[in-house]
Structures are given as C-alpha cells and as structure tokens.
Amino acid sequence: MPPTNTYVLVHGAWHDGQSWNRVAALLTAQGHRVLAPSLTGHGDKAHLLGPEVGLTTHVDDIVDLVLDQDLNDIVLVGHSYAGLIISSVANRIPHRVSRLVYVDAMVPTHGENAIDVMPLTQSLIDSAAATAQPWRIPPLPQFPAPFGLFGVTDPDDTAWLRSTLTDESVLCFQQPVELDNPAQALIPRVHILCVGSAPEGVTRRPLPPTQPNGEPSRVHELRSGHDCMIIKPAELSSLLLREA
C-alpha cells in the first residue's frame, strides 16, 4: 500500500536536513513518505558553500529533488528562512505541490527578500561586511534561557544542534522571491507559529487574514521556541498530519 502523503521538509538558515529527524521519524511511522534534504552549503553539502550560493540555489535544490524523484501532490514544508524557498518552489512547479506549510517561517510577497520580510536580517549582513569574508554569516549565538539556541534549551539537544550548524551566504538573504505564476496562488497554505519564546527585537510581520486563493488564513500556534521540530516534534507532526 503506497504512502498516504509525501512530505518535503525544508530546513531554515544555518541548519541542515537533520533538524527534521524527529519529525521525519514520526511521519514515516504513520506510513508517509518523507524527504528532508540538506540545502547547498549545509549538512553533507557544507563544502559547497560559497558567495555564489543564494536563494536561487536553494530553490533549485528542492525543484531538482522533486523532479528527479518525480514527486507529485507534495506537502511542502518550510521552516524559518525556508518560507522564501517553498514560496519560490511553488511558483516554479505549482502542479507538483498540494499544500504549503510555513513553520515559524518568512512569508514573502512577490519581489521581496529576507531583509524585506525581517529587517533584522540586514544587521547580520552588516556585521559580516566587517569581516574577512563579508559574504559569510555565522549562525546566531546561543542566548540565555529561555531563548537558548534557536529556542532549543535542553543541553544535549543544544550541543547536538550546534554541531550541525554551518554558515549562511549573504546572497540567500538578498535575492528576491518570484511569485509571478498565477497557479501558485491557488495552492492552499497553512501557518504554524511558534509563540512564547522570542528574543527581544525579533518581531513577526502579521499574516494577512486571507490566503492568496481567497480562503481564510489557516494559522496554528505552537508553544515552543523557534526550532519546534527539535523541541516539540510530536506536536508539530500532529499539526502536519492534520493539515495534509
């Protein structure tokens, strides 16, 4: 009997595909097909990081995966920065995507980049500009509890997560999203917001009350730090299963 759904889980900036391990295991245990690739410059592709790696590179990564694997009716899930990626993928291959799920993610409009969606990103680029490799942005630091490392505070989880993080290219945050294909606007989308644990100065742009397809926005709140796939995998998996 074939899997019920196919999930493509896209990690955010600085992370790699391993960040989805717990969620992937739970979804797979329910009989679903799950792919959680590492983007260029991360995980097993960390050696490919360079100044030329940008948002377009990461969009190509996911589009190529979907086409190479001949995936259809996928639930395309993006965490954080990957909200830009899944939006762009949907613009390129809308006929392959059944649903978009934004997990504490950037939600762009046509022509916007990460800086537009979250202006705080510019400060990271400015800091990198003063270094010997101005194209390279290191991971965010660990904050005191309750904020931790991307919201992760458990010592073992924090140590493991830190070992997987790699730098990000400035171009990832500078390249704009293209949403000029009318077909992408018809794809239903869901937003899962992590609430209750955001460092000072990190603000979220309000979501529009309606989806691009005209339906009311579907929004779920998850009491968790930013990396909910590590902190609250069961709760996140339940939401993904409910909304698929």
Side-chain angles (χ1 to χ4, degrees):
M1 184 175 179
T4 305
N5 291 308
T6 297
Y7 291 88
V8 177
L9 310 178
V10 188
H11 65 80
W14 303 293
H15 293 61
D16 68 8
Q18 296 179 90
S19 64
W20 293 105
N21 282 356
R22 293 172 179 174
V23 170
L26 292 168
L27 296 177
T28 301
Q30 294 295 317
H32 303 287
R33 184 178 184 185
V34 181
L35 297 92
S38 291
L39 300 169
T40 297
H42 303 282
D44 58 348
K45 301 175 184 175
H47 62 287
L48 299 177
L49 183 65
E52 75 287 349
V53 172
L55 174 63
T56 300
T57 312
H58 293 160
V59 175
D60 289 342
D61 286 341
I62 302 303
V63 170
D64 290 347
L65 173 70
V66 171
L67 297 181
D68 290 346
Q69 298 283 330
D70 194 24
L71 306 178
N72 289 286
D73 297 321
I74 64 172
V75 181
L76 186 56
V77 183
H79 176 244
S80 196
Y81 153 73
L84 305 180
I85 299 172
I86 65 171
S87 298
S88 301
V89 171
N91 194 68
R92 293 260 298 273
I93 49 171
H95 57 290
R96 301 273 183 161
V97 181
S98 66
R99 188 170 298 271
L100 294 170
V101 183
Y102 295 82
V103 179
D104 219 32
M106 297 183 180
V107 183
T109 58
H110 177 64
E112 288 189 321
N113 61 17
I115 304 165
D116 297 315
V117 179
M118 185 171 287
L120 179 65
T121 307
Q122 183 62 54
S123 66
L124 304 178
I125 295 173
D126 293 342
S127 295
T131 68
Q133 292 183 300
W135 60 270
R136 194 177 191 124
I137 302 177
L140 296 179
Q142 183 172 348
F143 293 94
F147 308 123
L149 184 64
F150 293 98
V152 177
T153 56
D154 177 85
D156 291 339
D157 286 346
T158 299
W160 173 82
L161 176 59
R162 187 183 294 109
S163 74
T164 70
L165 299 176
T166 49
D167 294 351
E168 199 68 63
S169 170
V170 164
L171 194 59
C172 295
F173 300 142
Q174 292 176 326
Q175 286 186 323
V177 170
E178 294 183 4
L179 297 177
D180 54 358
N181 185 344
Q184 60 81 25
L186 302 178
I187 301 172
R189 53 205 71 196
V190 178
H191 304 275
I192 299 174
L193 307 181
C194 296
V195 299
S197 179
E200 185 177 351
V202 177
T203 58
R204 191 197 319 273
R205 184 164 64 177
L207 293 171
T210 58
Q211 303 180 39
N213 64 4
E215 296 178 359
S217 292
R218 297 187 63 82
V219 182
H220 299 279
E221 291 190 348
L222 185 58
R223 188 152 294 278
S224 171
H226 185 55
D227 278 5
C228 56
M229 70 285 294
I230 297 172
I231 304 165
K232 296 286 184 72
E235 293 85 348
L236 177 57
S237 297
S238 293
L239 288 173
L240 294 178
L241 290 168
R242 184 194 311 177
E243 290 289 355

